[in-house]
Amino acid sequence: MNKISLVLIALALISQIKCQNEEVESDFQAYNKWRSKNKRVFLNQEEETYRQLIFFENLNQIKAHQNNTEATYTVSLNKFSDYSDEEFEQIILNKHIQRFQPDIQEEQQPKENLRKAVSYPDSVDWRNTGALSPVQDQGWCGSCSAFGTAGVLESFHYLRYNYMVKFSEQQLLDCARQAGFDTHGCNGAFQQDYFKYAIKYGIVSAASYPYVGYQTACKNTSNLPKYFPQSFKFIRSNIPDIKSAISQGPISVTVDASNWRSYQGGIFNRCSRNPQLNHAVIAVGYDAQGNYIIKNSWGPYWGDKGYITVSAQNDCGVLRSAIQVVS
Ligand SMILES: *[C@@H]1O[C@H](CO)[C@@H](O)[C@H](O)[C@H]1NC(C)=O
Ligand SMILES: *[C@@H]1O[C@H](CO)[C@@H](O)[C@H](O)[C@H]1NC(C)=O
């Protein structure tokens, strides 16, 4: 189906439902309010109509969720509300995570079979401790891995030296590929490659190399102060090891965020039973029920002030390829 016929169908549907009832009236009010709040501008009427139709579909899903009295989490309109699931996956989610498997050979795990039992507290929450920079916004760019990596390095640096430096996602985005790593700018990357880049070349502050939201030519950073992390490791995919790692500091994790788009708060439990990893984020805690607290990079107005809590029983793949900075 081409774009014009889509738009014609959209127009027909909208004018059809327009006649129906007051609920539609309130949907249009919701749309207008949302649109001015989100400062949407469109190229032409066709585009506006197309986006409006998607908005109404999303609004319906949100209403259906709000009708579900058994839901453990809430949803709301947000900046993604006039994008389709497909567009959301294409633009925001990371297309290059799934292809990679953790480099298990690089693990520096103890070789002996009898490891000492790991211990960890009942709950951990690194929010409001100073160890996390403010929630960032990757914008319309699949750069989650750069945010996941820079954020974990910030926390590690903070916990070691007791002062916060916001590190540069843009440097990772621009420079890792030029340095020979298999990273793809706004089309995604695996965090492992960004950690390796930072270990080899150092990472500069975001103040000296600010985020612009698209890939640019790698700037010459030779005169800028840099932080050189020394090593990282993959964490074994089991709950005690992950919790123990989180209790030492925020860690890098990869999740299936396909259904996260409208999340607002509460315990999220609608990930696929077979998660397709497509988004890099930071695990910053867990509660006494074992639910994981995650720092996202979709800005502070998404979710719970930029964070999401995912269910211990439906964890979106959090355990699968977690990375901890070691030194
Ligand atoms: C929500 O529930 C109300 C009342 O039962 C119903 O009229 C409405 O159609 C439902 N909305 C959705 C989107 O399911
Ligand atoms: C980067 O800048 C430094 C200092 O100004 C200079 O010596 C070096 O040649 C530059 N490197 C590149 C690749 O341009």
Side-chain angles (χ1 to χ4, degrees):
M1 203 178 331
N2 64 28
K3 204 173 162 210
I4 301 289
S5 54
L6 257 182
V7 168
L8 287 176
I9 291 170
L11 279 170
L13 279 172
I14 286 173
S15 53
Q16 199 185 356
I17 47 178
K18 220 176 196 166
C19 311
Q20 271 173 8
N21 55 32
E22 280 151 22
E23 195 187 337
V24 173
E25 200 55 41
S26 86
D27 283 3
F28 272 89
Q29 274 168 17
Y31 176 74
N32 288 333
K33 200 169 147 202
W34 173 88
R35 185 187 163 174
S36 62
K37 188 174 165 195
N38 287 273
K39 301 187 177 66
R40 278 288 195 276
V41 284
F42 301 104
L43 290 175
N44 52 38
Q45 181 64 43
E46 277 181 19
E47 194 201 353
E48 170 160 17
T49 308
Y50 172 68
R51 294 266 156 241
Q52 223 172 22
L53 181 71
I54 296 173
F55 177 90
F56 287 134
E57 280 175 12
N58 289 329
L59 183 61
N60 253 338
Q61 283 176 17
I62 286 170
K63 285 182 178 173
H65 182 93
Q66 285 163 346
N67 267 4
N68 173 2
T69 51
E70 272 156 35
T72 57
Y73 66 99
T74 57
V75 293
S76 67
L77 293 172
N78 59 29
K79 63 180 175 178
F80 302 127
S81 297
D82 68 347
Y83 279 73
S84 68
D85 288 342
E86 295 72 30
E87 287 171 321
F88 179 70
E89 276 184 29
Q90 276 301 310
I91 299 168
I92 302 296
L93 297 182
N94 188 326
K95 291 157 282 296
H96 286 277
I97 285 183
Q98 290 176 34
R99 292 194 302 134
F100 294 92
Q101 288 300 315
D103 259 344
I104 299 298
Q105 309 89 289
E106 290 182 32
E107 276 193 68
Q108 295 145 18
Q109 300 280 6
K111 296 227 176 356
E112 65 273 24
N113 289 327
L114 284 173
R115 293 185 308 144
K116 74 177 173 66
V118 289
S119 63
Y120 49 87
D122 281 346
S123 64
V124 170
D125 189 348
W126 289 105
R127 289 175 297 183
N128 309 314
T129 62
L132 294 165
S133 65
V135 168
Q136 307 293 309
D137 190 348
Q138 66 189 72
W140 301 103
C141 169
S143 50
C144 55
S145 302
F147 285 88
T149 302
V152 166
L153 290 174
E154 287 155 19
S155 295
F156 185 81
H157 177 272
Y158 175 86
L159 292 171
R160 176 150 293 195
Y161 302 107
N162 213 28
Y163 67 96
M164 173 56 65
V165 179
K166 171 82 205 77
F167 290 131
S168 174
E169 291 85 11
Q170 193 67 41
Q171 180 196 3
L172 300 176
L173 204 60
D174 294 348
C175 304
R177 185 167 182 89
Q178 180 173 308
F181 293 94
D182 187 20
T183 63
H184 302 264
C186 288
N187 287 325
F190 193 49
Q191 302 92 289
Q192 169 184 10
D193 291 314
Y194 285 147
F195 281 112
K196 286 180 187 167
Y197 171 85
I199 287 168
K200 190 159 177 199
Y201 296 96
I203 187 165
V204 302
S205 73
S208 67
Y209 199 152
Y211 190 63
V212 294
Y214 50 89
Q215 194 177 354
T216 64
C218 177
K219 288 178 188 50
N220 185 340
T221 58
S222 60
N223 287 336
L224 297 174
K226 292 184 190 73
Y227 171 57
F228 286 86
Q230 287 168 5
S231 63
F232 69 89
K233 70 174 186 192
F234 283 97
I235 304 161
R236 285 167 187 254
S237 301
N238 63 69
I239 292 169
D241 279 352
I242 294 285
K243 284 186 173 174
S244 167
I246 295 173
S247 73
Q248 293 158 41
I251 60 171
S252 163
V253 293
T254 310
V255 294
D256 181 345
S258 306
N259 300 332
W260 285 19
R261 189 149 65 109
S262 306
Y263 169 84
Q264 185 187 40
I267 314 290
F268 186 83
N269 61 357
R270 214 171 66 77
C271 268
S272 162
R273 290 280 158 202
N274 178 23
Q276 303 298 310
L277 305 186
N278 55 20
H279 190 47
V281 286
I282 304 173
V284 302
Y286 54 85
D287 65 17
Q289 287 70 46
N291 305 310
Y292 299 97
I293 306 164
I294 306 284
K295 183 189 187 190
N296 201 352
S297 51
W298 295 345
Y301 304 112
W302 175 87
D304 178 6
K305 300 190 177 79
Y307 289 82
I308 180 170
T309 302
V310 297
S311 163
Q313 287 76 37
N314 182 273
D315 67 14
C316 303
V318 153
L319 304 180
R320 292 222 190 149
S321 63
I323 291 175
Q324 177 181 39
V325 181
V326 175
S327 57

